[in-house]
Amino acid sequence: MTQKKNIAIMGAGLVGSLLSLYLAKRGYTINLYERRPDMRINSIDGGRSINLALSDRGWRALRGIGIEEEVRKVAVPMYRRVMHDEKGNLTYQPYGKEGQAIYSVSRGGLNVALMNISEPNPNISYHFNRQVMDVNVRTSEVLLQNHTTHEQERIKPDLIFGADGAYSMVRGAMQKTELFDYEQKYLEYGYKELTIPPAEDGGWLLEKNALHIWPRGNYMMIALPNIDGSFTCTLFFPYEGTRSFATIKNDNDLLNFFVEVFPDAVPLMPDLAQEYFANPIGSLVTIKCFPWSYDGRLMLIGDACHAVVPFYGQGMNAGFEDITVLDQMLETFDGDWHSLFKTFERKRKPDADAIADLAVLNFEEMRDKVADPRFLLRKKIESKISEQYPDKWIPLYTMVTFTDLPYSYAMEAGMMQEKIMKKVMKHIESAEDYEKPEVQKLLQKQLVKKEKLKPYKG
Ligand code: FAD
């Protein structure tokens, strides 16, 4: 089998940069081509601090290359959800067991860290201001636009990874090939990023170690902490309708709306109007496609082949998990890229589809259900079940966020558990009812049925 040495990664975002480290570790020569300028010189967020929730699958990939501790230094643990109601009252919901947390990290900061870690490696070279314009998948020739010289360049690597995100040009080229399935679905919601700045003493104006949610039925705002004391807030809002981006036209509309629905947040957002009208509305898209590879010479990875909406906080985590799985396969396939790519895409596709669907479902939970006391009671009962039967029951959120069980298995087990919870909750009015003999008996009976889904053995 011929080993392919010269690998080009299109897109030096989170997944592309991490992938370069894993491949270089195995002795490959890596060239990364990135459309944007070097973000270590030119801030890409226009000064805004966009953050992401990093959880176990992402940590595992960072650990696998020995950079977990470095990233932990700039990550803020979030141990629970804090829900803010329309009067500013707070309710709480832990994310997992005691000590379990998801971590808020700056997207730009993490990307910069990955670049800083990978660039000194003599086998890794970054080429900024290079935009992929076209890929000839049959000849592996890539046409790049150099935004510095305004010239076009052509390269012909042995192997191409398309890590160029949700609007991937590499995937665009594959779409022109036969039997390529492609599906994209937008939500009727967009998002806008806003800021709660640090307190005067540099501290946090809301509880620091939490993800804050203002759930309001068909829309919501969330806030994640940053290490500098600020919070990045994201308003998820319909494009159209009585309460929507379309109806907020000026400062008055905005302030009236915010004071009515997010009253406790308004005094913490001194630049609200300026930011709201300056910042763009982002769209929320799910992208599914197949196959992810072409002829053992080209492979899509990360958002390029499975973009998901952000409501499970798993897009980047799933992209990082791609790398963990790929790395395990590199061990097994030893240079047989054709078989590796085919095996990889077959294994990952059901998991990518599952997390895409779960993420859409979780939007409803976050914007609406978390405000419902009955839902919070249900969550309490579920954690009691999981404590009593740790081998038989792991809550869906825990499986997705705090384990490396395949997303597809988590979804299937989660759906079974959902059915059981519906039956159990018919007998529950308060947390104490969990001890009632009829509840315990019902649960045992249902758990026997659930045994049909075999525990995942890997
Ligand atoms: P990207 O990060 O999009 O990187 C692609 C790179 O390719 C970019 O650098 C881009 O400039 C470059 N590029 C694009 N086109 C070209 C081209 N033609 N030529 C050369 N270069 C190109 N995920 C989580 O895990 N947790 C979260 O909490 C979370 N929150 C999110 C919140 C929001 C609002 C959004 C929109 C997403 C969120 N995500 C989250 C998802 C996460 O951002 C993505 O899954 C992740 O960034 C995907 O990484 P990637 O490297 O595949 O793609």
Side-chain angles (χ1 to χ4, degrees):
M1 260 162 255
T2 49
Q3 283 234 338
K4 298 200 170 136
K5 297 277 185 217
N6 175 12
I7 300 180
I9 301 178
M10 306 302 158
L14 297 168
V15 172
S17 300
L18 183 63
L19 177 64
S20 72
L21 279 165
Y22 270 87
L23 293 173
K25 184 184 76 174
R26 292 186 180 273
Y28 293 100
T29 303
I30 314 299
N31 285 286
L32 292 115
Y33 297 89
E34 168 56 47
R35 177 183 59 181
R36 296 178 297 193
D38 187 343
M39 62 170 73
R40 293 166 293 183
I41 302 163
N42 304 359
S43 159
I44 46 147
D45 297 342
R48 283 178 299 135
S49 177
I50 299 171
N51 48 23
L52 304 167
L54 178 59
S55 51
D56 281 32
R57 294 170 203 265
W59 284 119
R60 188 168 167 224
L62 296 171
R63 195 177 314 126
I65 202 80
I67 58 174
E68 180 188 12
E69 286 317 312
E70 208 145 327
V71 177
R72 247 181 228 285
K73 285 182 206 149
V74 291
V76 183
M78 300 180 286
Y79 296 101
R80 57 183 183 174
R81 283 175 174 165
V82 175
M83 274 74 73
H84 298 241
D85 77 7
E86 275 165 335
K87 294 196 176 74
N89 300 316
L90 306 181
T91 42
Y92 306 92
Q93 189 203 333
Y95 271 123
K97 295 189 197 125
E98 201 164 342
Q100 272 182 330
I102 56 174
Y103 289 75
S104 173
V105 287
S106 146
R107 176 207 286 260
L110 180 56
N111 212 153
V112 163
L114 291 171
M115 287 176 177
N116 284 339
I117 294 165
S118 52
E119 203 168 39
N121 187 317
N123 291 334
I124 301 177
S125 308
Y126 280 88
H127 308 270
F128 294 103
N129 293 308
R130 302 296 204 292
Q131 181 167 355
V132 178
M133 306 303 289
D134 197 13
V135 182
N136 184 332
V137 295
R138 288 180 185 87
T139 62
S140 297
E141 198 172 63
V142 183
L143 177 66
L144 296 162
Q145 178 68 38
N146 182 327
H147 292 302
T148 313
T149 62
H150 307 290
E151 307 267 305
Q152 294 206 325
E153 299 168 2
R154 283 176 202 276
I155 55 166
K156 202 171 180 309
D158 297 325
L159 203 69
I160 300 169
F161 278 94
D164 51 342
Y167 301 98
S168 168
M169 281 298 290
V170 182
R171 185 189 65 231
M174 284 183 66
Q175 268 173 261
K176 294 178 203 147
T177 60
E178 256 180 45
L179 303 180
F180 185 86
D181 286 331
Y182 177 71
E183 190 187 327
Q184 78 178 30
K185 183 133 181 57
Y186 281 94
L187 293 186
E188 289 168 354
Y189 289 77
Y191 71 92
K192 202 175 267 272
E193 262 142 11
L194 303 164
T195 315
I196 294 178
E200 274 179 19
D201 65 0
W204 288 262
L205 289 170
L206 295 170
E207 179 179 319
K208 173 190 170 190
N209 292 115
L211 189 150
H212 295 264
I213 311 183
W214 289 259
R216 295 294 181 264
N218 82 327
Y219 60 93
M220 68 171 176
M221 183 166 76
I222 64 169
L224 275 72
N226 297 308
I227 42 169
D228 66 357
S230 66
F231 284 84
T232 304
C233 305
T234 313
L235 173 67
F236 294 97
F237 209 31
Y239 283 107
E240 305 282 342
T242 32
R243 296 208 138 166
S244 68
F245 284 121
T247 55
I248 296 193
K249 297 198 169 89
N250 53 42
D251 288 16
N252 254 352
D253 296 342
L254 177 73
L255 288 177
N256 287 339
F257 169 68
F258 261 67
V259 167
E260 186 191 332
V261 301
F262 307 126
D264 59 334
V266 174
L268 313 179
M269 304 172 92
D271 300 325
L272 173 61
Q274 187 271 327
E275 279 194 318
Y276 182 92
F277 290 107
N279 291 349
I281 301 173
S283 56
L284 297 163
V285 68
T286 302
I287 290 172
K288 295 179 180 173
C289 64
F290 202 76
W292 294 354
S293 70
Y294 188 85
D295 198 28
R297 288 181 286 120
L298 185 153
M299 177 85 210
L300 301 174
I301 193 157
D303 273 20
C305 48
H306 52 72
V308 303
V309 295
F311 305 109
Y312 235 112
Q314 285 296 314
M316 164 192 60
N317 288 290
F320 281 5
E321 190 173 61
D322 285 349
I323 300 173
T324 305
V325 174
L326 188 89
D327 187 58
Q328 288 161 353
M329 291 189 181
L330 281 170
E331 195 74 55
T332 320
F333 287 92
D334 189 28
D336 177 4
W337 291 97
H338 203 281
S339 307
L340 189 158
F341 285 174
K342 286 285 159 221
T343 312
F344 175 80
E345 67 190 9
R346 270 198 303 270
K347 173 160 175 57
R348 283 303 278 167
K349 171 70 174 157
D351 293 327
D353 285 352
I355 192 57
D357 296 344
L358 286 170
V360 172
L361 289 175
N362 216 42
F363 185 27
E364 198 190 330
E365 174 167 325
M366 284 181 85
R367 67 174 200 244
D368 196 8
K369 292 188 189 157
V370 291
D372 178 358
R374 191 82 195 142
F375 173 81
L376 295 175
L377 174 63
R378 212 188 106 139
K379 286 277 172 192
K380 260 191 206 151
I381 298 295
E382 209 188 342
S383 54
K384 279 176 186 283
I385 301 176
S386 153
E387 267 167 41
Q388 191 177 353
Y389 300 101
D391 301 335
K392 297 196 171 122
W393 192 291
I394 310 175
L396 175 59
Y397 187 85
T398 304
M399 283 190 273
V400 169
T401 311
F402 299 118
T403 76
D404 58 5
L405 289 167
Y407 289 126
S408 52
Y409 173 84
M411 186 158 98
E412 201 184 341
M415 274 161 36
M416 278 185 143
Q417 289 174 181
E418 167 80 22
K419 280 190 193 145
I420 299 177
M421 282 313 292
K422 276 195 180 136
K423 290 185 182 148
V424 169
M425 287 308 286
K426 282 188 187 148
H427 302 266
I428 302 268
E429 289 305 322
S430 71
E432 289 71 45
D433 289 345
Y434 180 69
E435 310 303 335
K436 282 181 175 172
E438 73 257 32
V439 172
Q440 288 293 322
K441 210 166 141 196
L442 171 70
L443 191 55
Q444 275 156 22
K445 202 169 134 200
Q446 292 299 321
L447 285 174
V448 171
K449 284 193 196 161
K450 186 174 172 271
E451 297 283 281
K452 280 186 211 146
L453 180 69
K454 293 275 171 274
Y456 183 74
K457 296 266 192 263

